[in-house]
Amino acid sequence: MLAKLTSKNQITLPKAVVSAFEGTDYFDVTQEDGRIMLTPMRVTPARTWTLADAEAYVEKMKRLQLPMDTTDPEVWLQRMNTDNSEAIWDKMDRLGITEQDIADAIEWARRG
C-alpha cells in the first residue's frame, strides 16, 4: 500500500491498515533502520487529585518533618491539580533542551 507525505508532513494511513487498530487514536512514531515505525498507544487522562489525597500528603510531610510553606490541604489540592506543562516546556527552552534531546534520552533509556 502506498501513502503520500503532504507538504504539511502528514500521511493518511490506508483504511485497511487502520482498521486493524480499531479504537486507536494515538501512535508512537519512531525511525528504525530507514523505516518509520508506528506503535499503537493508549493515552490515559492525567490523574485528578482529591482533597483526601492532599490531606494525606500534608500528614506525610508532617510525619517526615519536611518543611512546608503551608499545611492547608486546600492549597495543596490546587497545586496538585495544576497543569504545569507550559512551565516545564518554558524551563526546557531556557535550558536549551529540545524535543530531539528527549527522544534521544528515551531511546538511550530503552536500550539499557
Side-chain angles (χ1 to χ4, degrees):
M1 287 179 243
L2 188 63
K4 183 181 184 317
L5 179 67
T6 71
S7 61
K8 293 186 178 184
N9 289 330
Q10 296 176 339
I11 296 175
T12 300
L13 300 175
K15 190 172 188 172
V17 172
V18 174
S19 64
F21 302 98
E22 193 171 316
T24 301
D25 293 324
Y26 294 91
F27 293 85
D28 179 50
V29 182
T30 57
Q31 181 271 132
E32 186 176 301
D33 298 325
R35 296 178 182 196
I36 297 170
M37 309 294 286
L38 300 175
T39 305
M41 302 296 290
R42 181 177 45 216
V43 177
T44 57
R47 178 176 179 189
T48 300
W49 300 93
T50 65
L51 184 57
D53 295 322
E55 289 168 344
Y57 176 78
V58 169
E59 289 307 311
K60 183 176 182 179
M61 295 292 282
K62 285 180 182 177
R63 213 174 35 256
L64 295 172
Q65 298 180 344
L66 295 173
M68 293 186 289
D69 61 339
T70 180
T71 57
D72 182 353
E74 293 284 347
V75 172
W76 283 105
L77 178 61
Q78 183 180 3
R79 290 176 182 176
M80 294 163 91
N81 284 325
T82 300
D83 176 10
N84 293 322
S85 59
E86 281 303 314
I88 292 168
W89 284 108
D90 289 344
K91 184 170 185 178
M92 287 172 47
D93 284 342
R94 285 194 311 274
L95 295 172
I97 298 171
T98 66
E99 289 187 51
Q100 186 59 52
D101 294 330
I102 294 168
D104 292 345
I106 292 169
E107 183 180 328
W108 174 85
R110 288 180 176 164
R111 276 187 266 147

